[in-house]
Amino acid sequence: MLIRNISKAAMVIFTILLSGCEGGVLDPKGQIGIDEKHLIVVATLLMLVVVLPVIFMTLFFAWKYRDGRDHEIYAPKWAHSKLIEIVVWLVPIVIVIILGVITWGSTHDLDPYKPLDHQATPITVEVVSLNWKWLFIYPELGIASVNELAFPANVPVNFKITSDTAMNSFFIPQLGSQIYSMAGMATQLHLIANEAGVFEGISANYSGAGFSGMKFNAIATATPEGFDAWVAKVKLHNQQLNPDSYQILAKPSENNAVQYYSSVSEGMFNHIVMQYMHMDSAMEMSQHSGHSSSKHGETE
């Protein structure tokens, strides 16, 4: 009866723990997230090859040589075993080599700056982290939104990310990689949703008092027509995002509701990136971007 009750309790706890995986990195909905989950699972299983025997032997030896086991062999002068030395050193070395090879390949395959190889034409979204809200600018559509991101499923999304305040980390756990947003810099991230849905977006880097409310919904529409309908809804609003209205938006505020801007001043993202740059730094950055258009920390 006792064992049966313990088994039921263990099953309940196990179920509760697994429920925490829903909506996170272990429940991916995009190709990048799926590849990263595969990497996490493979790395975990390889490390368990070492961890599980260690746990087992720790418990076994504690039981075997417990108080009262006077008949166990006592070998105080034992000092060396070639077999144990080989196993202790060879197994971890092999695991580290395998992990190194896998990590090397994954580092290049999952580079957040690497555009996704997909037949669909990607859309571009410019992301700005503020205190404490997210601004999303669609430069190709001339619209913007606050704390709501939309894009079609099965279409790559090219994110250009910066911050107007403290450093944050742009992260949609079910779609994959996170990447930092930093004032005066522009980072990049390429993601795709393999299916329609509403996925939670967060900042993975603590940024102050309103951090807990700095969240947004990433809406992957089932069809391009669904995304067009969202765009049309945004354009029904009369708010315009220009340098003046942006100064109001950029003021710190907490638990912000979703906002829509039906038009955006041209070059708004670059204006935000460059506003804290000194002239000399701006010229150097401009020259640098002229030589390379795809390096980390690039501005346009």
Side-chain angles (χ1 to χ4, degrees):
M1 180 62 73
L2 176 62
I3 295 177
R4 182 179 299 176
N5 292 334
I6 293 176
S7 300
K8 290 181 179 178
M11 184 61 70
V12 171
I13 295 173
F14 187 67
T15 303
I16 293 174
L17 291 176
L18 283 180
S19 67
C21 298
E22 184 178 358
V25 294
L26 296 181
D27 183 25
K29 302 298 181 184
Q31 189 56 50
I32 298 298
I34 292 172
D35 292 344
E36 290 179 345
K37 177 186 176 182
H38 176 72
L39 177 61
I40 292 172
V41 171
V42 170
T44 302
L45 292 177
L46 284 172
M47 288 185 285
L48 285 177
V49 172
V50 173
V51 173
L52 288 181
V54 170
I55 293 175
F56 170 77
M57 285 188 292
T58 300
L59 297 175
F60 175 73
F61 289 135
W63 173 82
K64 184 177 178 62
Y65 297 106
R66 66 188 185 277
D67 185 26
R69 301 280 287 185
D70 299 332
H71 62 280
E72 296 293 349
I73 298 175
Y74 177 56
K77 295 183 179 180
W78 182 90
H80 184 73
S81 170
K82 288 184 178 178
L83 177 61
I84 293 177
E85 289 289 338
I86 291 173
V87 172
V88 167
W89 285 103
L90 185 61
V91 172
I93 289 174
V94 171
I95 291 175
V96 168
I97 292 174
I98 295 175
L99 282 175
V101 172
I102 295 174
T103 304
W104 174 268
S106 300
T107 301
H108 290 82
D109 294 339
L110 300 176
D111 182 354
Y113 281 67
K114 181 181 178 181
L116 301 180
D117 185 13
H118 198 278
Q119 59 184 5
T121 303
I123 65 172
T124 298
V125 179
E126 297 168 337
V127 182
V128 183
S129 62
L130 303 165
N131 277 342
W132 286 274
K133 48 191 169 279
W134 292 95
L135 170 64
F136 303 104
I137 302 172
Y138 294 75
E140 297 156 344
L141 301 172
I143 61 173
S145 61
V146 174
N147 284 349
E148 185 173 282
L149 170 67
F151 48 84
N154 296 308
V155 173
V157 185
N158 300 339
F159 293 102
K160 296 181 179 179
I161 306 165
T162 190
S163 175
D164 192 14
T165 176
M167 184 172 72
N168 284 270
S169 183
F170 179 73
F171 190 26
I172 306 173
Q174 288 186 278
L175 297 189
S177 308
Q178 60 173 309
I179 195 162
Y180 289 115
S181 62
M182 295 169 282
M185 298 183 67
T187 52
Q188 298 180 27
L189 181 64
H190 299 83
L191 298 175
I192 187 172
N194 288 7
E195 58 184 81
V198 179
F199 313 117
E200 184 182 28
I202 61 174
S203 171
N205 192 76
Y206 180 72
S207 58
F211 166 77
S212 60
M214 193 174 176
K215 300 175 181 178
F216 64 91
N217 283 333
I219 304 170
T221 62
T223 61
E225 290 74 20
F227 177 64
D228 293 340
W230 182 85
V231 173
K233 182 180 70 173
V234 173
K235 289 187 174 181
L236 290 177
H237 293 72
N238 294 323
Q239 283 189 295
Q240 297 182 348
L241 185 64
N242 52 45
D244 293 333
S245 60
Y246 176 76
Q247 293 303 318
I248 299 174
L249 174 66
K251 293 180 180 178
S253 57
E254 299 181 21
N255 300 313
N256 292 269
V258 174
Q259 293 177 242
Y260 300 120
Y261 293 91
S262 58
S263 65
V264 179
S265 295
E266 188 174 354
M268 196 67 209
F269 183 77
N270 281 349
H271 166 74
I272 297 170
V273 174
M274 301 302 293
Q275 62 183 330
Y276 298 124
M277 301 294 287
H278 297 292
M279 184 58 68
D280 292 343
S281 301
M283 292 179 64
E284 291 177 1
M285 181 169 289
S286 176
Q287 292 172 354
H288 175 73
S289 63
H291 291 293
S292 174
S293 61
S294 61
K295 299 296 184 183
H296 297 201
E298 163 201 9
T299 61
E300 290 187 347

